[in-house]
């Protein structure tokens, strides 16, 4: 146990050492009464996020084979930097050719391979289109296939079709690579029907689908919510005696994610068990995918423990999921302890993982602790984004400290960020909670002036605020305003309006407006409602979108940005760089 952890976990000082600190493992009766009363004060700010060695910047020492190799490497790196700066590969390559009167083919090929590894398909397609017009370059079948693949990855099915047609005119027969690339292009372009048509045609008349074809079509089906079709392909592969692709770890991850997306959690758990039965290795991503749809912090902690007992190292996503579970359960001590454990394990936190820890304190209105995390982000090179600022704002709201919230809201603009609907919604919720309807409407009007349209959460919050102040007429008017703004009121909004109706006349009006004539269970907005429609921490845990056909270096997992969907689909364990 580190000295830092000893400081902020005083209530758990007598607990046995463990990879996880869980209140369920501690005898509550053995805790000091004073500690219980001052529980939140025990989570101290000073030194709780001490700088670790691995977070300090180190100068990288490069070794070259010779002076000639060093010059060549530096020239190539300079050229790549120029491409990054200008955004155009052809301009830089053409200038290189003009200067040297001859552009080495290996340099062009090296650039293509590097951009392919980086998944910069726009630059790959730009270079290949240029090479098609160059007499000194023998544009062959492999170049055509790479170009179709590049357009496929970008979802530009129109250009992929054009190149495929041109390739056929040149006498190159269509093969499984070109068909698969075009199928992927349709999938990326959300033309799921056309993608499926190509796959079915390949099944019946050829060319025979490859392992990659099956992987991509399952991914397309899952992304297009064609769950039955995905399950059909998966089960067919499972039943084949000699399948072109034996369902592997990545495909199982895909299917677990699909069942999570469809809300069929039992089937997802069954697939997890089936992996073990079939001898398919389970890795960190497998356990992350299970943790992602569990809501009970005890269940999440149990899966985390299982992963460690299996000898697997948690990655930044694993820690983030556990921190999020503890945070939402208002168990801030455990959330911070897991974050400290992540740092002690040498796992570098991302901007998004800091946001999750920030949210854990913000939910309970622990402003000082949230401010410490917020400051630590900059120190560790994780510049706070709008999500960070909005979460910090919610800490003031939940304190409640509306004066502090107003000051911090002004700071958002001073720091060069533009508040969005989530930021305004968080502040509007704060004034609604304190029954300051005048300030609530002032912020609503300011949001409208800035051209930001209200979302359903904001309308429901305002409606509820008026209703709780015995102004049912205004509440009903805001319900109608929501509908007239093009937002279809959900069941929660309908239930809230029904709950606000007290007299028989109001109840009749509420039923008429909502269209609910049957008795309805009331589902009011809880006090700790989070307006983060765009930054919902239940879903915003993700990783880099790895393609099945690319062997790339392991990358750092990214949290809360691109949705958990990409992480599970990719199957990347996202180990630290």
């Amino acid at each position: 146990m580190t000295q830092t952890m000893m400081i902020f976990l005083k209530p758990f000082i007598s607990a046995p050492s463990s990879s996880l600190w869980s209140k369920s493992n501690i005898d509550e009766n053995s805790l000091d009464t004073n500690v219980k009363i001052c529980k939140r004060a025990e989570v101290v700010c000073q030194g709780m996020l001490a700088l670790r060695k691995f977070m300090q910047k180190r100068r990288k020492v490069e070794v070259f084979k010779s002076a000639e190799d060093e010059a060549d490497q530096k020239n190539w790196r300079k050229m790549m930097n120029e491409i990054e700066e200008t955004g155009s590969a052809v301009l830089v390559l053409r200038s290189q050719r003009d200067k040297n009167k001859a552009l080495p083919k290996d340099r062009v090929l090296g650039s293509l391979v590097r951009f392919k590894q980086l998944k910069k398909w726009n630059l790959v397609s730009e270079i290949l289109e240029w090479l098609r017009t160059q007499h000194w370059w023998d544009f062959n079948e492999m170049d055509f296939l790479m170009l179709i693949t590049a357009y496929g990855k970008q979802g530009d099915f129109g250009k992929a079709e054009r190149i495929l047609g041109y390739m056929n005119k040149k006498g190159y027969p269509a093969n499984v690579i070109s068909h698969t690339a075009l199928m992927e292009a349709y999938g990326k372009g959300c033309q799921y029907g056309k993608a499926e048509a190509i796959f079915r045609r390949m099944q019946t008349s050829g060319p025979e689908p490859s392992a990659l074809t099956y992987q991509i079509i399952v991914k397309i089906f899952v992304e297009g919510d064609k769950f039955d079709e995905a399950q059909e392909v998966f089960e067919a592969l499972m039943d084949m005696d000699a399948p072109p692709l034996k369902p592997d770890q990545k495909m199982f991850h895909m299917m677990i994610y699909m069942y999570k997306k469809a809300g069929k959690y039992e089937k997802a758990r069954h697939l997890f068990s089936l992996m073990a039965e079939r001898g398919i290795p389970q890795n960190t991503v497998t356990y992350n995918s299970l943790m992602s749809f569990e809501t009970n912090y005890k269940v999440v902690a149990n899966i985390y423990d299982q992963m460690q007992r299996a000898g697997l190292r948690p990655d930044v996503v694993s820690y983030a999921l556990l921190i999020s579970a503890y945070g939402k359960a208002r168990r801030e001590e455990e959330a911070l302890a897991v974050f400290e454990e992540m740092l002690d394990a040498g796992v570098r936190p991302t901007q998004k993982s800091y946001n999750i820890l920030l949210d854990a304190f913000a939910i309970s209105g622990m402003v000082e602790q949230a401010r410490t995390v917020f400051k630590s982000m900059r120190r560790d090179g994780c510049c706070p984004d709008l999500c960070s600022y909005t979460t910090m704002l919610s800490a003031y709201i939940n304190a409640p400290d509306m004066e502090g919230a107003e000051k911090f809201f002004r700071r958002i603009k001073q720091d060069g960020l533009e508040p969005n609907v989530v930021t305004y919604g968080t502040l509007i919720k704060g004034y609604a909670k304190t029954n300051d309807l005048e300030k609530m409407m002032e912020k609503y009007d300011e949001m409208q002036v800035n051209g930001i349209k209200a979302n359903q959460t904001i309308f429901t919050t305002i409606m509820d605020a008026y209703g709780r102040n015995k102004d049912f007429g205004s509440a009903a008017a805001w319900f109608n305003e929501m509908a007239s703004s093009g937002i279809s009121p959900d069941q929660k909004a309908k239930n809230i309006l029904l709950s606000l109706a007290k007299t028989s006349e109001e109840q009749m009006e509420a039923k008429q407006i909502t269209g609910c004539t049957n008795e309805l269970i009331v589902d009011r907005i809880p006090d700790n409602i989070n307006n983060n429609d765009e930054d919902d921490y239940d879903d915003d845990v993700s990783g880099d979108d790895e393609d099945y056909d690319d062997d790339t270096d392991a990358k750092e997992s990214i949290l809360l940005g691109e949705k958990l969907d990409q992480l599970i689909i990719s199957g990347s364990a996202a180990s630290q760089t």
Side-chain angles (χ1 to χ4, degrees):
M1 188 191 306
T2 64
Q3 185 178 0
T4 305
M5 293 179 73
M6 295 273 288
I7 293 173
F8 72 79
L9 285 175
K10 289 181 183 177
F12 310 112
I13 202 75
S14 61
S17 177
S18 170
S19 61
L20 267 184
W21 293 86
S22 174
K23 287 184 179 178
S24 59
N25 296 329
I26 297 167
D27 182 5
E28 297 283 350
N29 296 326
S30 66
L31 299 179
D32 185 88
T33 307
N34 293 330
V35 170
K36 283 185 179 180
I37 295 172
C38 304
K39 176 176 150 188
R40 288 189 181 179
E42 295 300 324
V43 184
V44 298
C45 299
Q46 299 299 324
M48 72 178 183
L49 294 172
L51 186 66
R52 298 325 198 263
K53 254 187 178 180
F54 76 92
M55 299 170 76
Q56 298 173 3
K57 291 183 179 180
R58 297 177 185 176
R59 187 174 180 179
K60 187 177 180 181
V61 179
E62 293 185 276
V63 179
F64 301 99
K65 296 177 183 178
S66 62
E68 185 181 349
D69 177 58
E70 181 179 0
D72 189 56
Q73 287 288 334
K74 288 184 176 179
N75 287 335
W76 183 78
R77 194 171 302 155
K78 182 181 178 182
M79 184 188 76
M80 297 295 281
N81 288 335
E82 285 180 18
I83 292 174
E84 290 285 344
E85 291 171 4
T86 60
S88 173
V90 172
L91 284 175
V92 176
L93 289 172
R94 188 181 288 132
S95 67
Q96 290 275 321
R97 183 169 172 76
D98 292 340
K99 289 176 185 176
N100 301 330
K101 297 185 179 179
L103 183 62
K105 289 188 177 182
D106 60 345
R107 182 168 293 185
V108 177
L109 188 59
S111 302
L112 274 172
V113 171
R114 185 56 181 156
F115 287 133
K116 179 179 181 292
Q117 290 173 341
L118 295 172
K119 295 182 174 57
K120 297 192 175 182
W121 298 106
N122 60 321
L123 295 177
V124 171
S125 58
E126 181 192 0
I127 294 172
L128 287 169
E129 285 286 11
W130 176 61
L131 291 176
R132 281 179 62 198
T133 65
Q134 301 302 300
H135 67 276
W136 51 273
W137 185 273
D138 180 21
F139 204 89
N140 57 32
E141 183 180 14
M142 294 307 296
D143 295 321
F144 275 115
L145 292 175
M146 184 181 281
L147 185 54
I148 295 173
T149 300
Y151 284 134
K153 298 293 184 184
Q154 295 175 79
D156 195 335
F157 51 85
K159 289 182 179 178
E161 284 179 336
R162 177 174 59 81
I163 296 300
L164 181 60
Y166 189 77
M167 180 180 170
N168 292 336
K169 287 181 181 179
K170 284 285 187 179
Y172 296 115
N175 56 27
V176 65
I177 298 176
S178 57
H179 275 72
T180 302
L182 183 58
M183 182 186 76
E184 185 174 29
Y186 280 128
K188 291 272 188 180
C190 300
Q191 300 285 318
Y192 303 116
K194 290 183 178 180
E196 183 179 2
I198 291 177
F199 175 71
R200 301 301 181 192
R201 189 165 63 246
M202 291 175 72
Q203 284 184 308
T204 55
S205 57
E208 185 71 24
S210 66
L212 177 62
T213 309
Y214 278 102
Q215 289 168 337
I216 290 176
I217 194 61
V218 170
K219 181 178 179 181
I220 289 171
F221 282 149
V222 173
E223 289 176 343
D225 293 340
K226 299 169 87 65
F227 301 142
D228 292 339
E229 290 83 351
Q231 183 170 308
E232 175 201 333
V233 173
F234 179 75
E235 291 177 350
L237 289 171
M238 294 278 284
D239 295 337
M240 286 183 190
D241 293 330
L245 168 67
K246 185 178 179 180
D248 58 2
Q249 189 184 75
K250 291 180 181 179
M251 187 166 282
F252 267 92
H253 290 167
M254 174 83 71
M255 295 304 295
I256 289 173
Y257 164 73
M258 185 196 80
Y259 286 128
K260 178 255 181 184
K261 190 178 180 182
K264 298 179 180 179
Y265 303 139
E266 282 306 316
K267 287 196 173 184
R269 296 184 187 102
H270 172 69
L271 275 188
F272 177 81
S273 302
L274 191 61
M275 288 180 73
E277 292 175 17
R278 296 213 168 207
I280 297 171
Q282 296 170 332
N283 64 9
T284 303
V285 172
T286 316
Y287 285 92
N288 287 350
S289 63
L290 272 189
M291 287 192 286
S292 68
F293 56 77
E294 298 293 353
T295 55
N296 188 308
Y297 73 92
K298 292 181 180 179
V299 177
V300 176
N302 184 47
I303 296 171
Y304 178 92
D305 283 339
Q306 286 180 33
M307 176 173 61
Q308 289 197 314
R309 286 196 296 271
L312 297 171
R313 276 190 70 183
D315 63 9
V316 69
V317 176
S318 316
Y319 287 115
L321 288 166
L322 188 56
I323 292 167
S324 179
Y326 278 132
K328 290 188 183 305
R330 294 174 180 264
R331 304 178 79 88
E332 305 85 13
E333 296 91 342
E334 287 95 328
L336 181 55
V338 174
F339 193 89
E340 287 280 347
E341 181 183 323
M342 177 178 72
L343 297 179
D344 289 337
V347 177
R348 185 179 294 275
T350 62
Q351 180 192 71
K352 314 290 182 169
S353 57
Y354 265 114
N355 282 347
I356 290 180
L357 181 62
L358 187 63
D359 186 55
F361 291 125
I363 287 173
S364 300
M366 301 175 72
V367 175
E368 287 305 314
Q369 290 78 4
R371 286 176 61 186
T372 301
V373 176
F374 190 82
K375 291 176 183 177
S376 298
M377 292 180 72
R378 289 189 184 278
R379 182 202 66 191
D380 298 336
C382 298
C383 185
D385 59 2
L386 185 58
C387 177
S388 313
Y389 279 87
T390 302
T391 306
M392 188 66 223
L393 179 67
S394 69
Y396 286 101
I397 299 291
N398 294 327
D401 177 8
M402 291 311 299
E403 183 179 349
E406 192 66 55
K407 287 180 181 177
F408 192 80
F409 183 77
R410 290 195 293 270
R411 179 183 166 182
I412 295 175
K413 296 181 179 179
Q414 291 168 2
D415 288 354
L417 296 172
E418 287 297 326
N420 62 7
V421 65
V422 179
T423 315
Y424 274 103
T426 301
L427 198 56
I428 288 171
K429 179 200 72 173
Y431 285 120
K433 283 175 65 177
T434 56
N435 287 326
D436 192 340
L437 302 188
E438 183 179 348
K439 289 291 289 184
M440 178 185 75
M441 291 311 302
E442 179 185 313
K443 290 302 167 186
Y444 177 81
D445 292 338
E446 181 184 323
M447 181 182 70
Q448 296 288 96
V449 169
N450 289 329
I452 300 173
K453 293 183 179 180
N455 57 23
Q456 182 160 244
T457 304
I458 291 176
F459 280 122
T460 305
T461 300
I462 295 175
M463 177 189 74
D464 186 51
Y466 277 109
R468 284 189 285 105
N469 282 273
K470 300 180 181 180
D471 188 352
F472 178 78
S474 294
W478 278 102
F479 185 90
N480 290 328
E481 178 67 19
M482 186 191 317
S484 63
S485 297
I487 300 173
S488 179
D490 62 5
Q491 195 60 56
K492 176 174 283 188
K494 294 177 182 178
N495 287 356
I496 288 175
L497 185 64
L498 289 166
S499 74
L500 295 173
K502 303 304 179 186
T503 67
S504 57
E505 291 82 3
E506 289 175 352
Q507 290 171 0
M508 185 176 297
E509 182 182 354
K511 288 181 179 180
Q512 184 179 1
I513 293 173
T514 60
C516 300
T517 55
N518 299 326
E519 185 177 353
L520 211 57
I521 299 175
V522 176
D523 186 11
R524 293 184 58 79
I525 299 179
D527 287 340
N528 65 335
I529 182 172
N530 191 342
N531 279 301
N532 290 0
D533 293 345
E534 294 176 1
D535 298 299
D536 192 332
Y537 294 108
D538 287 331
D539 298 322
D540 288 357
V541 185
S542 78
D544 293 312
D545 188 8
E546 298 289 333
D547 295 307
Y548 283 109
D549 54 333
D550 291 321
D551 295 325
T552 57
D553 296 335
K555 297 180 180 178
E556 183 182 23
S557 295
I558 307 299
L559 306 176
L560 293 174
E562 315 223 346
K563 306 293 179 189
L564 177 63
D565 308 7
Q566 293 176 335
L567 168 72
I568 309 297
I569 286 175
S570 71
S572 168
S575 53
Q576 301 302 301
T577 55

